[in-house]
Amino acid sequence: MQPKNVIKVLFRSALLAAAFSFVGTAAHAEDLLQTVKTNGVLRVGLEGTYPPFDYRNSAGELEGFDVDVAKALAAKLGVKTQFIATEWSGILAGLQAGKFDVIVNQVTITPQRKEALDFSQPYTYSAAQLIQRANDKRAFTSLAEFKGDKKLGVTLGTNYDQMARAVADINVQTYPGAPEKLRDLASGRIDATLDDRLMLPYIIKTSQLPLRAGNILKGGEQEMGIPFRKGNPQFEKAVNDALTAMKQDGTLAKISNHWFGSDVTHPVAQ
């Protein structure tokens, strides 16, 4: 064989080796399930500042509903959890960049988010719900009732602010946060506030004001799931199987009752 031919053969061999290496790497591009199993860790993104879902206690340790859900999910997968606190404004981008494997932080499943990410089945369900004074026996059933001299309080910039403003001619009073609107509610300056159903027990308990939960309103239903990067069918099945098992064996209900005093892991009954 001539030297030039030898060089060609070697060059072609090198190209083939590189090609097979590339194919092997592509074929070896592991489903996220294999990566998590190999590492023995499920990396979980959350805010860490969102009680009662995830926050730091007096000892600086993360706790909350979503923290417990993430730990139980990891246990079903046979791995440990590693929590990575991230501001909400960057948490979805952080997931897409691979900074963590999943987000367990009350991420609402929406068509827009599903275009970029895959989601588990829902593990919590929420809706818009009213808060009223404990001694107020009125039973408001729709936002349209807040007309005339009745006033509804909402937190500025929230989904519930938008929901209220979409109803024509009702009296909406906006507040920077929950403490301010709840104080006005307790003092009789407004007739009710509109909030996330899942937050009500915590809000009412920590406010230490004479308040009670009002009716759940139609039209504000939400489903929360666990998002992860697209292209991981084995991981998706494993997560959904784990959540199904957690529903069937009572794990999710137990966690929910601990944090909310009720089971919020099933669709809202209207």
Side-chain angles (χ1 to χ4, degrees), residues 17-239:
F20 279 119
S21 175
F22 177 80
V23 171
T25 301
H28 193 261
E30 292 183 330
D31 186 282
L32 183 56
L33 181 62
Q34 280 71 51
T35 304
V36 168
K37 292 279 192 179
T38 299
N39 294 337
V41 173
L42 180 68
R43 299 177 303 156
V44 180
L46 43 62
E47 290 178 88
T49 57
Y50 188 34
F53 301 103
D54 51 77
Y55 63 99
R56 294 192 183 277
N57 59 24
S58 58
E61 300 167 334
L62 282 169
E63 64 179 21
F65 173 77
D66 277 332
V67 173
D68 287 350
V69 168
K71 288 179 178 178
L73 172 62
K76 290 289 186 185
L77 296 177
V79 298
K80 297 180 179 180
T81 51
Q82 177 188 353
F83 292 107
I84 302 171
T86 304
E87 290 185 5
W88 176 257
S89 60
I91 202 165
L92 295 176
L95 176 61
Q96 290 176 311
K99 292 183 179 179
F100 25 84
D101 304 314
V102 295
I103 299 171
V104 186
N105 196 101
Q106 295 301 296
V107 183
T108 303
I109 302 171
T110 67
Q112 294 79 10
R113 288 173 179 165
K114 288 179 73 174
E115 289 179 4
L117 298 165
D118 282 337
F119 277 82
S120 72
Q121 62 177 279
Y123 71 101
T124 49
Y125 297 81
S126 191
Q129 187 168 7
L130 297 170
I131 300 178
Q132 295 176 237
R133 287 182 295 280
N135 62 357
D136 185 355
K137 305 304 179 185
R138 293 174 295 177
F140 299 111
T141 58
S142 74
L143 294 182
E145 296 176 56
F146 291 91
K147 297 181 179 180
D149 60 349
K150 301 183 186 69
K151 295 181 180 179
L152 176 70
V154 296
T155 300
L156 183 65
T158 62
N159 292 338
Y160 303 107
D161 179 9
Q162 297 172 10
M163 181 179 176
R165 292 178 182 279
V167 181
D169 301 323
I170 71 171
N171 293 324
V172 181
Q173 183 73 39
T174 58
Y175 294 87
E180 295 86 355
K181 69 181 178 183
L182 294 178
R183 283 197 295 268
D184 270 12
L185 174 59
S187 64
R189 294 189 182 92
I190 56 177
D191 297 279
T193 70
L194 188 64
D195 284 280
D196 185 332
R197 168 209 179 206
L198 299 184
M199 295 293 292
L200 257 66
Y202 180 82
I203 289 174
I204 292 172
K205 179 180 178 180
T206 57
S207 74
Q208 298 183 334
L209 295 171
L211 304 173
R212 68 173 179 85
N215 283 322
I216 293 173
L217 302 182
K218 292 183 178 180
E221 296 83 3
Q222 299 178 67
E223 297 181 350
M224 273 60 73
I226 298 172
F228 45 89
R229 293 180 296 281
K230 284 185 173 293
N232 294 284
Q234 295 175 33
F235 183 77
E236 180 175 5
K237 182 179 185 304
V239 169

Side-chain angles (χ1 to χ4, degrees), residues 1 3-16:
M1 185 177 294
K4 289 184 179 181
N5 291 334
V6 171
I7 293 172
K8 287 181 180 179
V9 169
L10 291 174
F11 180 69
R12 288 173 182 171
S13 297
L15 287 178
L16 284 172

